[in-house]
Amino acid sequence: DLSDGVKINDSVVSTVDVVANNGVIHVIDSVLVPSDIDVSAFLKSCQQEEEEPSCKNVDGWSDIFGLDCEFYAQFFCLFAGIFEDANGVDATEACCACGGGIEVTPTTDIPQTAIENGNFEILVAALVATDLVTPLSEPAGPFTVFAPTDEAFASLPYGLVTCLLEPDNKDTLADILKYHVLSGKV
């Protein structure tokens, strides 16, 4: 039944064939989670606070996902000008004291295509946090990536994305991300 469109598991493929030099991205409306990961149990293990974070001033700045300047200091070159808080203050402006990071050579491979698209900021942050940018970059490939949008990540239970981005949860996050990647172009 294709009345709801093309699906992978329960996720609808909203855009197909976003072409990159080393593969293709298909945009999906939800995050795919391997069946061996119990999201509820994992989230409980994170011991997240019940209150949602509010936007802070520049001194205590965090973006709308709760990522702070310390996070951006690690990846500043990759994220400069991409992430914003709810007031439109971006990481470059708020975290001007942050430095270092990963230099990104302008290309149109899968990670760079995702960055340039603008709808995959959380996916890109997750790829960086799990050291999966290089394995998905040229000359590696070809790959097919079923890429959840920022909206798809936002629909996950509160606190899950923040928890997954913690260094102690790198392997679980990597398993979830790899579940979105196929070898070859489909």
Side-chain angles (χ1 to χ4, degrees):
D1 177 23
L2 295 176
S3 61
D4 291 336
V6 176
K7 290 186 173 184
I8 178 165
N9 296 349
D10 292 328
S11 184
V12 175
V13 178
S14 60
T15 305
V16 297
D17 297 334
V18 178
V19 179
N21 285 346
N22 65 334
V24 63
I25 296 172
H26 301 310
V27 181
I28 57 176
D29 68 351
S30 62
V31 178
L32 305 173
V33 179
S35 60
D36 63 336
I37 296 176
D38 182 341
V39 172
S40 297
F42 179 80
L43 191 54
K44 285 180 185 176
S45 74
C46 290
Q47 300 173 344
Q48 294 290 325
E49 294 179 11
E50 292 298 317
E51 285 185 37
E52 292 192 32
S54 60
C55 292
K56 299 177 175 102
N57 62 26
V58 174
D59 291 334
W61 186 86
S62 67
D63 67 13
I64 60 172
F65 307 108
L67 303 173
D68 60 13
C69 282
E70 183 178 332
F71 176 83
Y72 283 100
Q74 297 175 41
F75 314 112
F76 189 78
C77 296
L78 185 62
F79 293 126
I82 296 177
F83 283 84
E84 297 181 344
D85 68 10
N87 299 314
V89 178
D90 74 19
T92 306
E93 182 180 343
C95 302
C96 59
C98 298
I102 301 168
E103 290 291 336
V104 177
T105 307
T107 64
T108 54
D109 59 11
I110 287 173
Q112 190 63 33
T113 300
I115 291 167
E116 291 172 2
N117 182 284
N119 291 312
F120 306 108
E121 295 171 0
I122 300 172
L123 176 62
V124 171
L127 290 171
V128 170
T130 55
D131 300 320
L132 290 174
V133 171
T134 300
L136 287 174
S137 298
E138 283 190 302
F143 300 107
T144 297
V145 176
F146 292 93
T149 61
D150 292 334
E151 188 175 311
F153 278 99
S155 70
L156 292 171
Y158 172 74
L160 183 60
V161 173
T162 302
C163 179
L164 285 167
L165 288 169
E166 291 176 8
D168 290 346
N169 299 323
K170 179 178 177 178
D171 292 340
T172 301
L173 179 56
D175 289 344
I176 291 171
L177 295 175
K178 290 174 187 176
Y179 196 66
H180 291 80
V181 180
L182 298 175
S183 183
K185 287 185 181 179
V186 177

